[in-house]
Amino acid sequence: TSWRGFLMEPPIRRELITPAQAACMLGVPYSTVTRLCRDGVIPAVKVGRHWRIVRDRLCRMYGIPR
């Protein structure tokens, strides 16, 4: 699709998960996941006061089957 001559790509859709979901997947406590997010070990973003983690990146980093 184009808009005024610019090619517009559809946004990339990524599944975001909560630290609680990531903790369950990794078998570690919730507090460990939030600390790893804060320290930059797990790539995550803050949405307001809450952490969100890109599921595919977490799975790749730790070898978890998708």
Short mmCIF file of all heavy atoms in Angstrom, two decimals:
data_model
loop_
_atom_site.label_atom_id
_atom_site.label_comp_id
_atom_site.label_asym_id
_atom_site.label_seq_id
_atom_site.Cartn_x
_atom_site.Cartn_y
_atom_site.Cartn_z
N THR A 1 0.85 -1.18 0.00
CA THR A 1 0.00 0.00 0.00
C THR A 1 0.89 1.23 0.00
O THR A 1 1.96 1.23 0.59
CB THR A 1 -0.88 0.03 1.27
OG1 THR A 1 -1.46 -1.25 1.45
CG2 THR A 1 -1.96 1.07 1.17
N SER A 2 0.41 2.28 -0.64
CA SER A 2 1.22 3.49 -0.60
C SER A 2 0.36 4.65 -0.10
O SER A 2 -0.85 4.67 -0.24
CB SER A 2 1.80 3.81 -1.97
OG SER A 2 0.77 4.20 -2.84
N TRP A 3 1.04 5.60 0.47
CA TRP A 3 0.40 6.82 0.96
C TRP A 3 1.25 7.98 0.50
O TRP A 3 2.41 8.09 0.88
CB TRP A 3 0.29 6.78 2.48
CG TRP A 3 -0.30 8.00 3.06
CD1 TRP A 3 -1.61 8.35 3.08
CD2 TRP A 3 0.40 9.04 3.72
NE1 TRP A 3 -1.78 9.53 3.71
CE2 TRP A 3 -0.55 9.99 4.12
CE3 TRP A 3 1.73 9.29 4.02
CZ2 TRP A 3 -0.22 11.15 4.79
CZ3 TRP A 3 2.04 10.44 4.69
CH2 TRP A 3 1.08 11.35 5.08
N ARG A 4 0.69 8.79 -0.38
CA ARG A 4 1.40 9.94 -0.94
C ARG A 4 2.78 9.58 -1.50
O ARG A 4 3.77 10.25 -1.22
CB ARG A 4 1.52 11.05 0.08
CG ARG A 4 0.20 11.66 0.45
CD ARG A 4 0.40 12.85 1.31
NE ARG A 4 -0.91 13.34 1.73
CZ ARG A 4 -1.09 14.49 2.30
NH1 ARG A 4 -0.07 15.28 2.53
NH2 ARG A 4 -2.27 14.88 2.65
N GLY A 5 2.85 8.45 -2.17
CA GLY A 5 4.09 8.07 -2.80
C GLY A 5 5.06 7.30 -1.93
O GLY A 5 6.11 6.86 -2.38
N PHE A 6 4.74 7.11 -0.66
CA PHE A 6 5.62 6.36 0.25
C PHE A 6 5.13 4.93 0.36
O PHE A 6 3.93 4.69 0.51
CB PHE A 6 5.64 6.98 1.65
CG PHE A 6 6.26 8.34 1.69
CD1 PHE A 6 5.48 9.47 1.69
CD2 PHE A 6 7.64 8.47 1.73
CE1 PHE A 6 6.04 10.73 1.72
CE2 PHE A 6 8.22 9.73 1.76
CZ PHE A 6 7.43 10.86 1.76
N LEU A 7 6.04 4.01 0.26
CA LEU A 7 5.69 2.61 0.44
C LEU A 7 5.53 2.35 1.93
O LEU A 7 6.43 2.63 2.72
CB LEU A 7 6.79 1.71 -0.13
CG LEU A 7 6.54 0.21 -0.05
CD1 LEU A 7 5.30 -0.17 -0.87
CD2 LEU A 7 7.74 -0.54 -0.57
N MET A 8 4.38 1.83 2.31
CA MET A 8 4.11 1.57 3.73
C MET A 8 4.13 0.07 3.98
O MET A 8 3.38 -0.67 3.37
CB MET A 8 2.77 2.16 4.14
CG MET A 8 2.76 3.68 4.07
SD MET A 8 1.16 4.41 4.40
CE MET A 8 0.77 3.74 5.97
N GLU A 9 4.99 -0.36 4.87
CA GLU A 9 5.07 -1.76 5.25
C GLU A 9 4.11 -2.02 6.40
O GLU A 9 3.95 -1.16 7.27
CB GLU A 9 6.50 -2.09 5.73
CG GLU A 9 7.56 -1.85 4.69
CD GLU A 9 7.80 -3.07 3.84
OE1 GLU A 9 7.48 -4.17 4.27
OE2 GLU A 9 8.30 -2.89 2.73
N PRO A 10 3.49 -3.19 6.42
CA PRO A 10 2.65 -3.50 7.58
C PRO A 10 3.53 -3.65 8.82
O PRO A 10 4.68 -4.08 8.71
CB PRO A 10 1.99 -4.83 7.21
CG PRO A 10 2.83 -5.40 6.14
CD PRO A 10 3.51 -4.25 5.45
N PRO A 11 3.02 -3.27 9.98
CA PRO A 11 3.84 -3.38 11.19
C PRO A 11 4.17 -4.83 11.50
O PRO A 11 3.37 -5.73 11.21
CB PRO A 11 2.98 -2.76 12.29
CG PRO A 11 1.59 -2.81 11.76
CD PRO A 11 1.70 -2.77 10.27
N ILE A 12 5.35 -5.06 12.04
CA ILE A 12 5.75 -6.41 12.44
C ILE A 12 5.00 -6.75 13.72
O ILE A 12 5.02 -5.99 14.68
CB ILE A 12 7.27 -6.49 12.67
CG1 ILE A 12 8.00 -6.20 11.38
CG2 ILE A 12 7.66 -7.85 13.24
CD1 ILE A 12 9.49 -6.05 11.54
N ARG A 13 4.34 -7.87 13.72
CA ARG A 13 3.58 -8.29 14.89
C ARG A 13 4.42 -9.27 15.69
O ARG A 13 4.87 -10.27 15.18
CB ARG A 13 2.27 -8.92 14.47
CG ARG A 13 1.41 -7.90 13.73
CD ARG A 13 -0.01 -8.28 13.71
NE ARG A 13 -0.49 -8.60 15.02
CZ ARG A 13 -1.45 -7.95 15.65
NH1 ARG A 13 -2.00 -6.93 15.09
NH2 ARG A 13 -1.87 -8.35 16.82
N ARG A 14 4.63 -8.92 16.93
CA ARG A 14 5.40 -9.78 17.82
C ARG A 14 4.57 -10.08 19.04
O ARG A 14 3.89 -9.20 19.56
CB ARG A 14 6.69 -9.08 18.24
CG ARG A 14 7.63 -8.88 17.10
CD ARG A 14 9.00 -8.51 17.60
NE ARG A 14 9.94 -8.56 16.52
CZ ARG A 14 10.67 -7.54 16.14
NH1 ARG A 14 10.58 -6.40 16.75
NH2 ARG A 14 11.52 -7.67 15.15
N GLU A 15 4.62 -11.33 19.47
CA GLU A 15 3.88 -11.71 20.66
C GLU A 15 4.65 -11.27 21.90
O GLU A 15 5.80 -11.68 22.09
CB GLU A 15 3.66 -13.22 20.69
CG GLU A 15 2.86 -13.68 21.87
CD GLU A 15 2.71 -15.19 21.94
OE1 GLU A 15 3.19 -15.89 21.03
OE2 GLU A 15 2.11 -15.64 22.91
N LEU A 16 4.03 -10.45 22.71
CA LEU A 16 4.65 -10.00 23.95
C LEU A 16 4.10 -10.83 25.10
O LEU A 16 2.91 -11.13 25.14
CB LEU A 16 4.34 -8.51 24.19
CG LEU A 16 4.86 -7.54 23.14
CD1 LEU A 16 4.41 -6.13 23.49
CD2 LEU A 16 6.37 -7.61 23.05
N ILE A 17 4.99 -11.19 26.01
CA ILE A 17 4.57 -11.95 27.18
C ILE A 17 4.96 -11.20 28.45
O ILE A 17 5.82 -10.31 28.42
CB ILE A 17 5.17 -13.38 27.18
CG1 ILE A 17 6.70 -13.34 27.20
CG2 ILE A 17 4.66 -14.19 25.99
CD1 ILE A 17 7.35 -14.70 27.39
N THR A 18 4.35 -11.57 29.53
CA THR A 18 4.62 -10.94 30.83
C THR A 18 5.79 -11.64 31.50
O THR A 18 6.13 -12.79 31.14
CB THR A 18 3.40 -11.04 31.75
OG1 THR A 18 3.17 -12.43 32.03
CG2 THR A 18 2.16 -10.42 31.11
N PRO A 19 6.39 -11.00 32.49
CA PRO A 19 7.45 -11.68 33.24
C PRO A 19 6.96 -12.96 33.92
O PRO A 19 7.72 -13.93 34.03
CB PRO A 19 7.87 -10.63 34.28
CG PRO A 19 7.58 -9.34 33.62
CD PRO A 19 6.31 -9.58 32.84
N ALA A 20 5.70 -12.99 34.34
CA ALA A 20 5.16 -14.21 34.96
C ALA A 20 5.14 -15.36 33.95
O ALA A 20 5.50 -16.50 34.29
CB ALA A 20 3.75 -13.95 35.49
N GLN A 21 4.75 -15.07 32.71
CA GLN A 21 4.76 -16.10 31.67
C GLN A 21 6.18 -16.55 31.36
O GLN A 21 6.44 -17.75 31.18
CB GLN A 21 4.07 -15.59 30.41
CG GLN A 21 2.58 -15.36 30.58
CD GLN A 21 1.98 -14.60 29.42
OE1 GLN A 21 2.52 -13.58 28.98
NE2 GLN A 21 0.85 -15.09 28.92
N ALA A 22 7.10 -15.59 31.28
CA ALA A 22 8.50 -15.93 31.01
C ALA A 22 9.08 -16.77 32.15
O ALA A 22 9.82 -17.72 31.90
CB ALA A 22 9.32 -14.66 30.83
N ALA A 23 8.73 -16.43 33.38
CA ALA A 23 9.22 -17.19 34.54
C ALA A 23 8.74 -18.64 34.46
O ALA A 23 9.51 -19.57 34.73
CB ALA A 23 8.74 -16.54 35.83
N CYS A 24 7.50 -18.83 34.06
CA CYS A 24 6.95 -20.18 33.91
C CYS A 24 7.69 -20.94 32.81
O CYS A 24 8.04 -22.11 32.99
CB CYS A 24 5.46 -20.08 33.60
SG CYS A 24 4.65 -21.68 33.51
N MET A 25 7.96 -20.28 31.69
CA MET A 25 8.68 -20.92 30.58
C MET A 25 10.10 -21.31 30.97
O MET A 25 10.60 -22.35 30.55
CB MET A 25 8.73 -19.97 29.37
CG MET A 25 7.40 -19.75 28.71
SD MET A 25 7.46 -18.43 27.46
CE MET A 25 8.54 -19.16 26.24
N LEU A 26 10.76 -20.44 31.76
CA LEU A 26 12.16 -20.67 32.12
C LEU A 26 12.33 -21.50 33.39
O LEU A 26 13.42 -21.97 33.68
CB LEU A 26 12.87 -19.32 32.32
CG LEU A 26 12.99 -18.43 31.08
CD1 LEU A 26 13.53 -17.06 31.47
CD2 LEU A 26 13.87 -19.09 30.03
N GLY A 27 11.25 -21.62 34.16
CA GLY A 27 11.33 -22.39 35.41
C GLY A 27 12.10 -21.65 36.50
O GLY A 27 12.81 -22.26 37.29
N VAL A 28 11.97 -20.32 36.51
CA VAL A 28 12.64 -19.49 37.52
C VAL A 28 11.60 -18.59 38.18
O VAL A 28 10.50 -18.41 37.65
CB VAL A 28 13.77 -18.64 36.90
CG1 VAL A 28 14.84 -19.52 36.28
CG2 VAL A 28 13.23 -17.66 35.87
N PRO A 29 11.93 -17.99 39.33
CA PRO A 29 10.97 -17.10 39.97
C PRO A 29 10.71 -15.82 39.17
O PRO A 29 11.57 -15.35 38.41
CB PRO A 29 11.64 -16.74 41.31
CG PRO A 29 12.67 -17.79 41.52
CD PRO A 29 13.11 -18.25 40.17
N TYR A 30 9.54 -15.25 39.38
CA TYR A 30 9.14 -13.98 38.75
C TYR A 30 10.17 -12.89 39.02
O TYR A 30 10.53 -12.14 38.12
CB TYR A 30 7.76 -13.59 39.31
CG TYR A 30 7.30 -12.22 38.92
CD1 TYR A 30 6.61 -12.01 37.73
CD2 TYR A 30 7.53 -11.12 39.74
CE1 TYR A 30 6.18 -10.75 37.37
CE2 TYR A 30 7.09 -9.86 39.39
CZ TYR A 30 6.42 -9.68 38.20
OH TYR A 30 6.00 -8.43 37.85
N SER A 31 10.64 -12.82 40.26
CA SER A 31 11.59 -11.76 40.63
C SER A 31 12.89 -11.88 39.84
O SER A 31 13.52 -10.87 39.52
CB SER A 31 11.88 -11.80 42.13
OG SER A 31 12.38 -13.06 42.51
N THR A 32 13.30 -13.09 39.51
CA THR A 32 14.50 -13.29 38.71
C THR A 32 14.31 -12.71 37.31
O THR A 32 15.19 -12.03 36.78
CB THR A 32 14.86 -14.79 38.62
OG1 THR A 32 15.10 -15.28 39.94
CG2 THR A 32 16.08 -15.03 37.75
N VAL A 33 13.15 -12.97 36.72
CA VAL A 33 12.88 -12.46 35.37
C VAL A 33 12.84 -10.94 35.38
O VAL A 33 13.45 -10.31 34.51
CB VAL A 33 11.56 -13.04 34.81
CG1 VAL A 33 11.20 -12.38 33.48
CG2 VAL A 33 11.67 -14.55 34.63
N THR A 34 12.18 -10.33 36.35
CA THR A 34 12.13 -8.86 36.38
C THR A 34 13.52 -8.26 36.59
O THR A 34 13.85 -7.25 35.99
CB THR A 34 11.15 -8.34 37.44
OG1 THR A 34 11.50 -8.86 38.71
CG2 THR A 34 9.72 -8.71 37.09
N ARG A 35 14.34 -8.92 37.40
CA ARG A 35 15.71 -8.43 37.60
C ARG A 35 16.51 -8.55 36.31
O ARG A 35 17.24 -7.62 35.92
CB ARG A 35 16.41 -9.21 38.73
CG ARG A 35 17.79 -8.62 39.06
CD ARG A 35 18.54 -9.42 40.10
NE ARG A 35 19.06 -10.64 39.49
CZ ARG A 35 18.69 -11.88 39.81
NH1 ARG A 35 17.80 -12.10 40.75
NH2 ARG A 35 19.22 -12.92 39.19
N LEU A 36 16.37 -9.66 35.59
CA LEU A 36 17.07 -9.84 34.32
C LEU A 36 16.61 -8.83 33.27
O LEU A 36 17.41 -8.35 32.46
CB LEU A 36 16.90 -11.27 33.81
CG LEU A 36 17.57 -12.37 34.66
CD1 LEU A 36 17.17 -13.75 34.15
CD2 LEU A 36 19.07 -12.20 34.69
N CYS A 37 15.33 -8.48 33.29
CA CYS A 37 14.82 -7.44 32.39
C CYS A 37 15.45 -6.09 32.75
O CYS A 37 15.94 -5.38 31.88
CB CYS A 37 13.30 -7.34 32.50
SG CYS A 37 12.40 -8.73 31.81
N ARG A 38 15.43 -5.76 34.03
CA ARG A 38 15.98 -4.48 34.49
C ARG A 38 17.46 -4.36 34.17
O ARG A 38 17.95 -3.30 33.78
CB ARG A 38 15.73 -4.34 36.00
CG ARG A 38 16.11 -3.00 36.57
CD ARG A 38 15.87 -2.91 38.06
NE ARG A 38 16.67 -3.89 38.77
CZ ARG A 38 16.19 -4.88 39.52
NH1 ARG A 38 14.89 -5.03 39.67
NH2 ARG A 38 16.99 -5.73 40.13
N ASP A 39 18.20 -5.48 34.30
CA ASP A 39 19.64 -5.48 34.06
C ASP A 39 20.00 -5.59 32.58
O ASP A 39 21.18 -5.54 32.22
CB ASP A 39 20.31 -6.62 34.83
CG ASP A 39 20.23 -6.43 36.33
OD1 ASP A 39 19.90 -5.31 36.78
OD2 ASP A 39 20.49 -7.42 37.06
N GLY A 40 18.99 -5.79 31.71
CA GLY A 40 19.24 -5.87 30.28
C GLY A 40 19.68 -7.23 29.78
O GLY A 40 20.06 -7.37 28.63
N VAL A 41 19.61 -8.25 30.63
CA VAL A 41 19.99 -9.60 30.21
C VAL A 41 18.91 -10.18 29.30
O VAL A 41 19.20 -10.78 28.26
CB VAL A 41 20.21 -10.52 31.43
CG1 VAL A 41 20.50 -11.95 31.02
CG2 VAL A 41 21.33 -9.96 32.30
N ILE A 42 17.65 -9.99 29.68
CA ILE A 42 16.52 -10.38 28.85
C ILE A 42 16.04 -9.12 28.14
O ILE A 42 15.72 -8.12 28.80
CB ILE A 42 15.37 -10.98 29.69
CG1 ILE A 42 15.79 -12.31 30.30
CG2 ILE A 42 14.12 -11.16 28.83
CD1 ILE A 42 14.75 -12.93 31.21
N PRO A 43 16.00 -9.11 26.80
CA PRO A 43 15.53 -7.92 26.09
C PRO A 43 14.04 -7.72 26.34
O PRO A 43 13.23 -8.59 26.02
CB PRO A 43 15.83 -8.20 24.62
CG PRO A 43 16.06 -9.66 24.52
CD PRO A 43 16.40 -10.18 25.88
N ALA A 44 13.71 -6.60 26.95
CA ALA A 44 12.32 -6.32 27.31
C ALA A 44 12.07 -4.82 27.21
O ALA A 44 13.00 -4.02 27.17
CB ALA A 44 12.05 -6.81 28.73
N VAL A 45 10.80 -4.47 27.16
CA VAL A 45 10.40 -3.06 27.15
C VAL A 45 9.43 -2.82 28.28
O VAL A 45 8.74 -3.74 28.73
CB VAL A 45 9.74 -2.67 25.81
CG1 VAL A 45 10.72 -2.74 24.67
CG2 VAL A 45 8.53 -3.52 25.52
N LYS A 46 9.40 -1.58 28.75
CA LYS A 46 8.43 -1.21 29.77
C LYS A 46 7.23 -0.58 29.09
O LYS A 46 7.38 0.31 28.26
CB LYS A 46 9.03 -0.23 30.76
CG LYS A 46 10.01 -0.93 31.66
CD LYS A 46 10.09 -0.53 33.06
CE LYS A 46 8.98 -0.65 33.99
NZ LYS A 46 9.37 -0.27 35.34
N VAL A 47 6.07 -1.06 29.44
CA VAL A 47 4.82 -0.49 28.98
C VAL A 47 4.15 0.07 30.23
O VAL A 47 3.63 -0.70 31.05
CB VAL A 47 3.92 -1.54 28.29
CG1 VAL A 47 2.62 -0.92 27.86
CG2 VAL A 47 4.64 -2.19 27.12
N GLY A 48 4.27 1.37 30.40
CA GLY A 48 3.84 1.96 31.68
C GLY A 48 4.78 1.48 32.77
O GLY A 48 5.99 1.64 32.67
N ARG A 49 4.23 0.84 33.78
CA ARG A 49 5.05 0.30 34.87
C ARG A 49 5.35 -1.19 34.70
O ARG A 49 5.95 -1.80 35.57
CB ARG A 49 4.33 0.50 36.20
CG ARG A 49 4.17 1.94 36.56
CD ARG A 49 3.41 2.17 37.84
NE ARG A 49 3.12 0.97 38.60
CZ ARG A 49 2.33 0.93 39.66
NH1 ARG A 49 1.75 2.01 40.08
NH2 ARG A 49 2.12 -0.20 40.30
N HIS A 50 4.90 -1.78 33.62
CA HIS A 50 4.97 -3.23 33.44
C HIS A 50 5.99 -3.62 32.37
O HIS A 50 6.09 -2.98 31.33
CB HIS A 50 3.60 -3.77 33.06
CG HIS A 50 2.53 -3.37 34.02
ND1 HIS A 50 2.35 -3.99 35.22
CD2 HIS A 50 1.61 -2.38 33.95
CE1 HIS A 50 1.36 -3.41 35.86
NE2 HIS A 50 0.89 -2.42 35.11
N TRP A 51 6.71 -4.70 32.62
CA TRP A 51 7.66 -5.25 31.65
C TRP A 51 6.92 -6.11 30.65
O TRP A 51 5.99 -6.84 31.01
CB TRP A 51 8.71 -6.11 32.35
CG TRP A 51 9.72 -5.33 33.11
CD1 TRP A 51 9.79 -5.19 34.46
CD2 TRP A 51 10.81 -4.59 32.57
NE1 TRP A 51 10.86 -4.40 34.80
CE2 TRP A 51 11.51 -4.02 33.66
CE3 TRP A 51 11.27 -4.34 31.28
CZ2 TRP A 51 12.63 -3.23 33.48
CZ3 TRP A 51 12.38 -3.55 31.11
CH2 TRP A 51 13.06 -3.00 32.20
N ARG A 52 7.36 -6.07 29.40
CA ARG A 52 6.88 -6.97 28.35
C ARG A 52 8.09 -7.50 27.61
O ARG A 52 9.04 -6.78 27.33
CB ARG A 52 5.94 -6.26 27.38
CG ARG A 52 4.62 -5.86 28.01
CD ARG A 52 3.82 -7.08 28.47
NE ARG A 52 2.58 -6.72 29.12
CZ ARG A 52 2.42 -6.68 30.44
NH1 ARG A 52 3.41 -6.96 31.25
NH2 ARG A 52 1.26 -6.38 30.95
N ILE A 53 8.04 -8.80 27.30
CA ILE A 53 9.16 -9.51 26.69
C ILE A 53 8.70 -10.08 25.36
O ILE A 53 7.60 -10.64 25.27
CB ILE A 53 9.62 -10.65 27.63
CG1 ILE A 53 10.02 -10.07 28.99
CG2 ILE A 53 10.75 -11.46 27.01
CD1 ILE A 53 10.01 -11.07 30.11
N VAL A 54 9.53 -9.97 24.32
CA VAL A 54 9.21 -10.55 23.01
C VAL A 54 9.46 -12.06 23.11
O VAL A 54 10.59 -12.51 23.33
CB VAL A 54 10.05 -9.92 21.88
CG1 VAL A 54 9.73 -10.58 20.54
CG2 VAL A 54 9.81 -8.43 21.81
N ARG A 55 8.39 -12.82 22.96
CA ARG A 55 8.43 -14.27 23.17
C ARG A 55 9.46 -14.97 22.27
O ARG A 55 10.24 -15.79 22.73
CB ARG A 55 7.05 -14.87 22.91
CG ARG A 55 6.95 -16.33 23.22
CD ARG A 55 5.52 -16.81 22.98
NE ARG A 55 5.31 -18.13 23.50
CZ ARG A 55 5.66 -19.25 22.86
NH1 ARG A 55 6.22 -19.16 21.67
NH2 ARG A 55 5.46 -20.43 23.40
N ASP A 56 9.50 -14.62 20.98
CA ASP A 56 10.42 -15.28 20.05
C ASP A 56 11.88 -15.07 20.45
O ASP A 56 12.69 -15.98 20.36
CB ASP A 56 10.21 -14.79 18.62
CG ASP A 56 8.95 -15.37 17.99
OD1 ASP A 56 8.43 -16.36 18.52
OD2 ASP A 56 8.50 -14.81 16.98
N ARG A 57 12.21 -13.85 20.89
CA ARG A 57 13.59 -13.57 21.29
C ARG A 57 13.97 -14.36 22.54
O ARG A 57 15.08 -14.88 22.63
CB ARG A 57 13.79 -12.08 21.52
CG ARG A 57 13.72 -11.30 20.21
CD ARG A 57 13.98 -9.86 20.39
NE ARG A 57 15.40 -9.64 20.65
CZ ARG A 57 15.92 -8.47 20.94
NH1 ARG A 57 15.15 -7.42 21.03
NH2 ARG A 57 17.20 -8.33 21.17
N LEU A 58 13.06 -14.46 23.49
CA LEU A 58 13.32 -15.23 24.70
C LEU A 58 13.54 -16.70 24.35
O LEU A 58 14.48 -17.32 24.84
CB LEU A 58 12.15 -15.08 25.68
CG LEU A 58 12.32 -15.78 27.01
CD1 LEU A 58 13.32 -15.04 27.88
CD2 LEU A 58 10.98 -15.90 27.73
N CYS A 59 12.69 -17.23 23.49
CA CYS A 59 12.81 -18.64 23.08
C CYS A 59 14.15 -18.90 22.38
O CYS A 59 14.80 -19.91 22.64
CB CYS A 59 11.65 -19.03 22.17
SG CYS A 59 10.08 -19.13 23.01
N ARG A 60 14.55 -17.98 21.50
CA ARG A 60 15.84 -18.14 20.81
C ARG A 60 17.00 -18.07 21.78
O ARG A 60 17.95 -18.84 21.68
CB ARG A 60 16.00 -17.04 19.75
CG ARG A 60 15.67 -17.49 18.37
CD ARG A 60 16.16 -16.48 17.37
NE ARG A 60 15.91 -15.12 17.87
CZ ARG A 60 15.15 -14.23 17.28
NH1 ARG A 60 14.58 -14.50 16.14
NH2 ARG A 60 14.97 -13.04 17.80
N MET A 61 16.95 -17.13 22.72
CA MET A 61 18.06 -16.94 23.67
C MET A 61 18.29 -18.16 24.54
O MET A 61 19.42 -18.50 24.84
CB MET A 61 17.78 -15.74 24.59
CG MET A 61 18.00 -14.40 23.97
SD MET A 61 17.61 -13.07 25.12
CE MET A 61 18.85 -13.32 26.37
N TYR A 62 17.20 -18.79 24.97
CA TYR A 62 17.31 -19.88 25.93
C TYR A 62 17.00 -21.25 25.34
O TYR A 62 16.87 -22.23 26.06
CB TYR A 62 16.42 -19.60 27.14
CG TYR A 62 16.94 -18.42 27.94
CD1 TYR A 62 16.42 -17.14 27.77
CD2 TYR A 62 18.01 -18.58 28.80
CE1 TYR A 62 16.92 -16.07 28.48
CE2 TYR A 62 18.52 -17.51 29.52
CZ TYR A 62 17.97 -16.25 29.35
OH TYR A 62 18.47 -15.19 30.04
N GLY A 63 16.85 -21.32 24.01
CA GLY A 63 16.63 -22.61 23.34
C GLY A 63 15.33 -23.28 23.70
O GLY A 63 15.25 -24.49 23.76
N ILE A 64 14.31 -22.47 23.91
CA ILE A 64 12.97 -23.01 24.22
C ILE A 64 12.21 -23.21 22.92
O ILE A 64 12.16 -22.31 22.09
CB ILE A 64 12.19 -22.02 25.12
CG1 ILE A 64 12.96 -21.76 26.41
CG2 ILE A 64 10.79 -22.53 25.42
CD1 ILE A 64 12.44 -20.58 27.20
N PRO A 65 11.64 -24.40 22.73
CA PRO A 65 10.87 -24.61 21.49
C PRO A 65 9.66 -23.68 21.46
O PRO A 65 9.02 -23.45 22.47
CB PRO A 65 10.43 -26.07 21.55
CG PRO A 65 10.86 -26.60 22.85
CD PRO A 65 11.66 -25.57 23.57
N ARG A 66 9.39 -23.14 20.27
CA ARG A 66 8.24 -22.23 20.13
C ARG A 66 7.02 -23.05 19.96
O ARG A 66 6.00 -22.94 19.97
CB ARG A 66 8.46 -21.31 18.94
CG ARG A 66 9.61 -20.41 19.19
CD ARG A 66 9.93 -19.54 18.00
NE ARG A 66 11.29 -19.06 18.19
CZ ARG A 66 12.19 -19.04 17.28
NH1 ARG A 66 11.96 -19.44 16.08
NH2 ARG A 66 13.39 -18.61 17.55
#
